[in-house]
Amino acid sequence: MGEGGEAMSMTTYDLQVNGRRKSVTVDPSTPLLWVLREDLKMTGTKYGCGIGACGACTVHLGGVATRSCVVPIALVGGRSITTIEGMGRDPVGRVVQDAWVEKDVVQCGYCQSGQIMSVVALLKSNRKPTDTNIEESLGGNLCRCGTYVRIREAVKRAAEKLA
Amino acid sequence: MLQFSLVILLAADAAGLAAWEKIHSVLTSPRCINCHTATNYPQQGDDRHRHFANVIRGKQDKGVIALSCATCHQAKNADSTGLPGAHNWQLAPLSMKWQDLNDRPLPSAEICRSVKSHLDGPHLVKHHEEEALVLWAWNPGRRPDGTMRTLPPLTHAEFVEATRQWVKAGRPCP
C-alpha cells in the first residue's frame, strides 16, 4: 500500500548515501531501513523494534538523527542519508568510534550503530553535553546489555577529544 | 429599549458561548490536546497515554537533539509505518497548555482565556483555517495496525465556522 493507502507501483529513487549517489527501485512505502539493508546491502543499520522505539535503526537524514524503520522511502526526498558506514569518514564520527573502542563500550553490539549515530548528532550540536543532555538525547536508544555507563563515559571521552 | 438591548446582548453572548463549546470540544479531543500538555512530554492515542520512547519536550518544544520530533515524524503521514506527520511537527508551547500536571484537561473557561490571550480574532480564524498541525487533526492518517486514527467531533468546516461565530460574538468565555 502507498502512503495514501492506495496500491502503488515500484518507483525509482535517487539517493545520496554517505556522499555517494545510489539508485533504487522499490515500493514507495518501503521503510528507509529496508532500502538500506536489503537493496543497498548496507547492514550496519540494525532492525530492532520496527516502531521507532529502540533506536537501533538510527541514521542521519539531512543531518537529523532519524529512525529509519518508520520513514518510508517516499518521504526521504532530496535529503542526504548518512549511516554508520559513513562514520569512519566523518570527523566527529571517527572520534566517537575511537572513544567507543577506547572505553570498550560494546557488549553484544547490536544497538551500538544506532547509539553512535545519536551520539554523533548530539556532539555535532553540543560539544560539552552534560549527563542530563546525554540521558535525554540517548533516551530513545535502548541497550539490552545495559552498557549505558560505558556509553556515557565514551560520549564524555569523545567530547574531550573534540574540545 | 434598554431591556431590548440587554436581551440582544444576552442572546449574542449565548450564541458565542455555544460556539466556544463547539471549539472546546475539538481542542480537547485527543488529536489536539495530546500536544497541548502541561508536562515535559507529549501524549499519544485516544487514551492520551504518555508518548513512548522517552520523548521529551525540549527547550523549543521539538524534543532534544537526537531525539527530536523529527527523529520520527516527517512532513506527511507515513501510513505504511503508522507514523503521523505534518509540517513542523512539535508540541504547543507550555503557555498554550490545555491540561494540568496530571494530564487532565483544564476547565473550559481557562482554555478559553488562554486561547484569547494568544491570538486575536482574525489570527485565530486564520490559525484554525490554515495551520498545518491544525489541519492534520482532520487528516491524522493510519495507526501502525492500519486502522484510521479518530477525528475531532466536528468537521474542519464546522470548526472554522464555530470559530468565526465565536469571534463575531466578541469571544465570550464561560
Side-chain angles (χ1 to χ4, degrees), chain A residues 124-142:
Chain A
K124 284 190 174 185
S125 176
N126 180 355
R127 288 292 169 95
K128 287 186 178 178
T130 63
D131 284 353
T132 300
N133 295 147
I134 295 168
E135 285 164 11
E136 289 178 346
S137 288
L138 300 183
N141 287 86
L142 305 184

Side-chain angles (χ1 to χ4, degrees), chain A residues 67-91:
Chain A
R67 305 291 189 251
S68 63
C69 72
V70 292
V71 178
I73 193 71
L75 298 186
V76 169
R79 291 176 288 179
S80 62
I81 301 161
T82 308
T83 69
I84 190 68
E85 288 89 346
M87 285 297 98
R89 294 190 300 277
D90 182 284

Side-chain angles (χ1 to χ4, degrees), chain A residues 21-103:
Chain A
R21 289 185 64 183
K22 306 276 185 182
S23 183
V24 294
T25 300
V26 294
D27 186 304
S29 67
T30 309
L32 172 59
L33 170 66
W34 297 114
V35 172
L36 293 170
R37 289 184 59 86
E38 299 294 327
D39 295 274
L40 299 178
K41 307 302 180 191
M42 300 172 73
T43 54
T45 305
K46 303 302 183 191
Y47 170 78
C49 65
I51 58 169
C54 77
C57 67
T58 304
V59 300
H60 294 179
L61 192 52
V64 176
T66 301
R67 305 291 189 251
S68 63
C69 72
V70 292
V71 178
I73 193 71
L75 298 186
V76 169
R79 291 176 288 179
S80 62
I81 301 161
T82 308
T83 69
I84 190 68
E85 288 89 346
M87 285 297 98
R89 294 190 300 277
D90 182 284
V92 176
R94 182 72 263 163
V95 170
V96 171
Q97 288 183 323
D98 288 346
W100 239 246
V101 172
E102 186 182 324
K103 294 294 180 182

Side-chain angles (χ1 to χ4, degrees), chain A residues 3 29 31 51 65-67 69-72 75 79 118 121-122 125 136-137 139-140, chain B residues 52-54 56 64-68 70-72 74 76-81 83 142:
Chain A
E3 288 319 302
S29 67
I51 58 169
T66 301
R67 305 291 189 251
C69 72
V70 292
V71 178
L75 298 186
R79 291 176 288 179
S118 290
L122 170 62
S125 176
E136 289 178 346
S137 288
Chain B
F52 70 34
N54 298 317
I56 61 169
V64 293
I65 296 296
L67 191 52
S68 65
T71 293
C72 290
Q74 305 297 306
K76 293 179 181 175
N77 291 326
D79 282 344
S80 61
T81 58
L83 258 289
R142 294 177 187 276

Side-chain angles (χ1 to χ4, degrees), chain B residues 37-38 45 60 72 100 134-135 138 142 154 166 173:
Chain B
T37 64
Q60 297 181 327
C72 290
D100 63 21
V134 173
L135 292 172
W138 283 273
R142 294 177 187 276
L154 305 181
W166 183 60
C173 284

Side-chain angles (χ1 to χ4, degrees), chain B residues 3-72:
Chain B
Q3 274 186 326
F4 181 68
S5 299
L6 191 61
V7 167
I8 289 175
L9 278 173
L10 287 173
D13 208 39
L17 287 172
W20 165 254
E21 289 308 327
K22 288 182 182 177
I23 297 166
H24 178 255
S25 73
V26 171
L27 303 189
T28 51
S29 72
R31 296 293 79 74
C32 299
I33 201 170
N34 278 355
C35 288
H36 283 263
T37 64
T39 53
N40 74 333
Y41 55 83
Q43 298 165 318
Q44 60 183 128
D46 286 351
D47 61 356
R48 299 176 37 235
H49 60 274
R50 181 174 181 161
H51 194 297
F52 70 34
N54 298 317
V55 171
I56 61 169
R57 173 180 292 276
K59 286 180 182 170
Q60 297 181 327
D61 307 311
K62 296 181 179 180
V64 293
I65 296 296
L67 191 52
S68 65
C69 301
T71 293
C72 290

